[in-house]
Amino acid sequence: MIEVQNLTKHYGSLTAIRDVSFTVAPGEIVGFLGPNGAGKSTTMRILACFLPASSGTARVAGFDVFRGSMEVRKRIGYLPENVPLYTDMRVAPYLDFVAEMKGVARSARKKVVADVMDRALIADVQSRLIRNLSKGYRQRVGLAQALVGDPAVLILDEPTIGLDPAQIAEIRNLIKSLAGDHTVILSTHILPEVSMVCGSVVIINRGAIVAQGPIDRLVEQFFPTSRIEVEVAAPRGAVRDAMKTIPGVVRVEERAASHDGIGRFVVESARGHDVRGEIFQMAAQQKWALLELRRVGMTLEEVFIRILAGEEREAAATTAADAVPEEAS
Amino acid sequence: MKIWAIYKKELRLYFTSPVAYIVLTIFLLIAGLFFSAIFQGFARASMQMALQQQMGGRDLNVTDNVIRPLFGNMSVILLLLMPLVTMRLFAEERRSGTMELLLTYPVRDGAVLVGKYLAAFTLYAVMLVGTLAYPAMLAAFARVEWPSLAAGYIGLVLMGALFLAVGLFASSLTENQIVAAVVTFGILLVLWIVGWVADFAGGAAGTALTHLSILEHNDAFAKGVLDTKDIIYFVDLTLLALFLAFRALESRRWSG
Ligand SMILES: Nc1ncnc2c1ncn2[C@@H]1O[C@H](COP(=O)(O)OP(=O)(O)OP(=O)(O)O)[C@@H](O)[C@H]1O
Ligand SMILES: [Mg+2]
């Protein structure tokens, strides 16, 4: 539904994105992640037909964003990151204007506007001036605006920024409910949100894609081991040595809070090797009291941090390498 | 119709903000001052004429003595005020970022342009309708030549149409409303005074420059003369300004 190929965008001498390629399948919700200034908004602006790319192609709903701009624009709902709205208008007339812009038939407009106001939870402010709305409400009006006309593709740049926790949950549910017959690409800095809402992610750093795919596959890729947290009431040295002998265990790491008497460990084993049974057997044999035995799920957050840390190391290495000849000369 | 939607939105913005009312009030107030001054002068002159008439004088002409100076003065007020009417149209959308949404809706740049232009033009039409009060008052005291008056108004409509088109163009170039207004005023002023420069230039160049002057063409209408060359002058320049505004929008879209 969204196909991006070798997309590059220069702002003058600055390259905001470089050779970006990814695809989003129909009905999928994809999280677009990356640190500040990575190029997320730039990419989304190109997808929304607002910015022209310097090179490369992007197709949305089967149409090229440059040559088939009008066709693309008929099929997308776009929420820009700073939520620009006509602040001198009232909410309902504003959405009515948007509906008219998107070509919603006159007879259907009232219903369409009422419907998006319900979904974005703004029916209670419909006759207020947008200028006087709080940040969170403005954000929701922006979202409502994107939903007008029920577009097949939604491009949402940080849709939940500025919302209170209850609203975040509501809006997340709203976005989740779009899956299936809508394709959604959303950027955010709230990683737990991504795991909750999105099936897969695209991670961009310094203008280049560094990882993409379903979240569980990325977790496997970047964390090839599974981890178990163990707490045993026993001499810690003995416990560590015993656990190391269990087949499949790759690494045993002692926790800071560990002391003789209560040993706390993180046990890493090869993926697919569940060693919890063996640990339990071992403790039972030795008559050690097993206080805790828990599998630690790897979060997207850890994946994200690991990927970016790797990137930073690489970048540091290349700059160091570049620096050497300069020093020599 | 998307033009209609843009038109309604812009017109609503004019009339829900103080802009429209301030421009209308100031315009009608200053035009009214000019009218009363000109009319008093006319009344005094007519009185003297009436005395002389017994010795074979003739009636003072309303078109030449009231309408023409009045419309000339109104043109100057418009030169100063119209840049303020159009400065917001695109500059504000760019500054506040709403342009980003507007340009990603399925609407043609031309429709956006025409919608905004017609909204500004409607405000201008309301201003002109307001000025009809002056000839109406005049008709109570003197014989108004309605066809000449109509020609004068056609001239004002055409000239305003040009002012607004230039203003729209300038507004499409910048995100700063002040810059838009100053650029508009600058362009219009050049078109205004080019006739004076022409006097110095003389010769063929002088004649060419004279043809470019707004004053040259506008005065003909105020005199009550409808000439196709004057009409074509305003229509051409208006279309040129609108075309340039259209290109400015488009190039913004395709060059970032
Ligand atoms: N209009 C512009 N002119 C010049 N440079 C720009 C422009 N817009 C963005 N940039 C630069 O391009 C780079 C990418 O910016 P972009 O807004 O796409 O980042 P982002 O991933 O959305 O960041 P954030 O998480 O902070 O929103 C940044 O270095 C930014 O400074
Ligand atoms: Mg951004």
Side-chain angles (χ1 to χ4, degrees):
Chain A
M1 205 60 166
I2 301 177
E3 302 151 50
V4 176
Q5 252 172 35
N6 304 104
L7 211 57
T8 300
K9 172 76 194 174
H10 308 285
Y11 290 112
S13 62
L14 185 131
T15 305
I17 56 171
R18 148 174 35 93
D19 257 342
V20 164
S21 305
F22 62 88
T23 58
V24 180
E28 208 181 1
I29 301 186
V30 165
F32 198 29
L33 314 178
N36 289 135
K40 303 181 293 296
S41 300
T42 301
T43 310
M44 291 175 120
R45 283 176 159 170
I46 296 172
L47 291 180
C49 309
F50 176 64
L51 272 187
S54 304
S55 66
T57 58
R59 294 172 73 79
V60 175
F63 297 93
D64 186 276
V65 292
F66 187 79
R67 270 169 288 130
S69 163
M70 190 57 84
E71 295 305 315
V72 172
R73 285 186 273 151
K74 278 180 194 159
R75 291 165 177 81
I76 59 168
Y78 175 43
L79 173 64
E81 85 177 319
N82 37 18
V83 199
L85 301 168
Y86 294 110
T87 50
D88 289 331
M89 289 178 89
R90 290 172 197 281
V91 174
Y94 168 66
L95 291 173
D96 189 69
F97 165 72
V98 174
E100 214 168 337
M101 282 287 102
K102 291 192 178 185
V104 176
R106 186 190 193 85
S107 53
R109 270 209 309 269
K110 224 181 157 88
K111 201 185 154 303
V112 165
V113 169
D115 186 51
V116 293
M117 286 196 298
D118 276 346
R119 288 166 73 193
L121 314 162
I122 50 171
D124 52 328
V125 295
Q126 56 176 296
S127 50
R128 292 188 50 188
L129 272 176
I130 293 176
R131 179 172 0 117
N132 298 337
L133 294 182
S134 69
K135 165 95 178 89
Y137 268 98
R138 261 185 248 179
Q139 185 76 28
R140 277 138 69 182
V141 173
L143 195 61
Q145 164 279 133
L147 292 172
V148 166
D150 205 26
V153 178
L154 285 151
I155 300 167
L156 310 175
D157 204 346
E158 307 196 22
T160 56
I161 193 171
L163 299 183
D164 66 53
Q167 295 305 332
I168 289 187
E170 296 269 10
I171 295 300
R172 252 179 224 160
N173 288 338
L174 166 63
I175 295 174
K176 252 197 263 185
S177 73
L178 295 171
D181 37 61
H182 299 82
T183 308
V184 183
I185 177 163
L186 64 91
S187 75
T188 176
H189 290 292
I190 309 170
L191 294 172
E193 172 170 291
V194 179
S195 340
M196 272 181 258
V197 178
C198 309
S200 51
V201 293
V202 174
I203 301 179
I204 184 171
N205 186 30
R206 295 164 185 268
I209 302 280
V210 290
Q212 58 177 309
I215 295 176
D216 27 357
R217 226 196 55 217
L218 283 185
V219 171
E220 266 174 48
Q221 185 185 336
F222 286 90
F223 291 94
T225 58
S226 45
R227 297 176 172 200
I228 289 161
E229 227 177 80
V230 186
E231 201 176 311
V232 200
R236 52 183 179 176
V239 178
R240 189 187 7 218
D241 294 342
M243 283 193 301
K244 273 189 177 157
T245 61
I246 296 171
V249 169
V250 201
R251 213 159 77 93
V252 177
E253 192 186 321
E254 199 167 340
R255 276 288 175 89
S258 182
H259 53 82
D260 255 340
I262 294 185
R264 293 193 175 89
F265 303 92
V266 174
V267 178
E268 283 183 36
S269 63
R271 197 165 275 281
H273 259 277
D274 193 349
V275 293
R276 280 177 299 177
E278 281 93 333
I279 293 177
F280 175 77
Q281 298 288 349
M282 169 200 81
Q285 271 172 18
Q286 308 278 347
K287 297 210 167 18
W288 290 337
L290 193 57
L291 302 178
E292 191 174 351
L293 183 61
R294 189 165 66 87
R295 202 159 153 178
V296 191
M298 290 319 298
T299 59
L300 183 62
E301 198 148 1
E302 284 159 297
V303 174
F304 184 74
I305 289 168
R306 182 167 280 201
I307 292 174
L308 292 186
E311 284 280 312
E312 292 310 311
R313 266 199 304 278
E314 254 171 56
T318 42
T319 38
D322 288 347
V324 172
E326 277 204 25
E327 268 170 1
S329 64
Chain B
M1 271 298 271
K2 288 170 189 177
I3 292 181
W4 177 235
I6 301 260
Y7 172 77
K8 274 189 304 185
K9 183 208 113 202
E10 292 300 338
L11 208 57
R12 182 187 284 146
L13 283 182
Y14 272 130
F15 285 97
T16 52
S17 71
V19 176
Y21 303 103
I22 290 176
V23 168
L24 261 171
T25 312
I26 291 187
F27 175 67
L28 292 179
L29 207 73
I30 301 179
L33 283 176
F34 275 118
F35 173 70
S36 65
I38 292 167
F39 182 67
Q40 275 168 26
F42 173 74
R44 220 176 305 116
S46 298
M47 211 93 82
Q48 284 167 1
M49 277 297 198
L51 291 176
Q52 290 165 9
Q53 203 158 38
Q54 289 145 3
M55 300 162 230
R58 53 180 181 81
D59 248 358
L60 264 187
N61 180 291
V62 169
T63 304
D64 275 343
N65 292 290
V66 182
I67 302 296
R68 197 173 153 198
L70 176 65
F71 279 26
N73 284 309
M74 285 203 310
S75 305
V76 177
I77 312 170
L78 289 173
L79 179 71
L80 297 168
L81 275 184
M82 296 298 258
L84 307 179
V85 169
T86 45
M87 66 179 185
R88 198 202 71 229
L89 291 169
F90 282 111
E92 177 61 13
E93 298 246 17
R94 290 177 66 167
R95 193 199 53 78
S96 70
T98 47
M99 195 82 151
E100 183 165 356
L101 274 177
L102 192 59
L103 292 185
T104 53
Y105 292 141
V107 54
R108 292 185 190 290
D109 296 353
V112 174
L113 194 76
V114 172
K116 283 176 180 281
Y117 183 66
L118 291 180
F121 193 84
T122 304
L123 173 57
Y124 177 55
V126 173
M127 289 161 68
L128 284 188
V129 168
T131 65
L132 284 173
Y134 309 133
M137 277 184 248
L138 195 59
F141 301 98
R143 203 176 52 81
V144 176
E145 297 163 311
W146 297 107
S148 307
L149 183 72
Y153 269 104
I154 290 174
L156 280 185
V157 165
L158 288 172
M159 189 188 66
L162 172 61
F163 286 10
L164 293 172
V166 170
L168 201 63
F169 166 60
S171 187
S172 70
L173 297 176
T174 171
E175 57 181 52
N176 185 322
Q177 296 192 34
I178 308 284
V179 170
V182 171
V183 168
T184 311
F185 182 66
I187 296 175
L188 294 180
L189 200 60
V190 165
L191 284 176
W192 194 271
I193 62 169
V194 75
W196 307 345
V197 180
D199 289 345
F200 296 110
T207 327
L209 286 178
T210 314
H211 284 308
L212 266 180
S213 162
I214 294 180
L215 270 179
E216 172 81 8
H217 297 277
N218 190 44
D219 195 45
F221 289 106
K223 278 190 279 194
V225 182
L226 269 189
D227 192 333
T228 36
K229 86 172 192 310
D230 301 320
I231 297 176
I232 287 172
Y233 166 83
F234 281 114
V235 171
D236 275 1
L237 279 190
T238 302
L239 290 178
L240 175 68
L242 286 177
F243 175 72
L244 290 177
F246 179 72
R247 291 308 297 261
L249 271 192
E250 262 198 335
S251 78
R252 211 227 64 84
R253 188 191 279 286
W254 298 133
S255 63

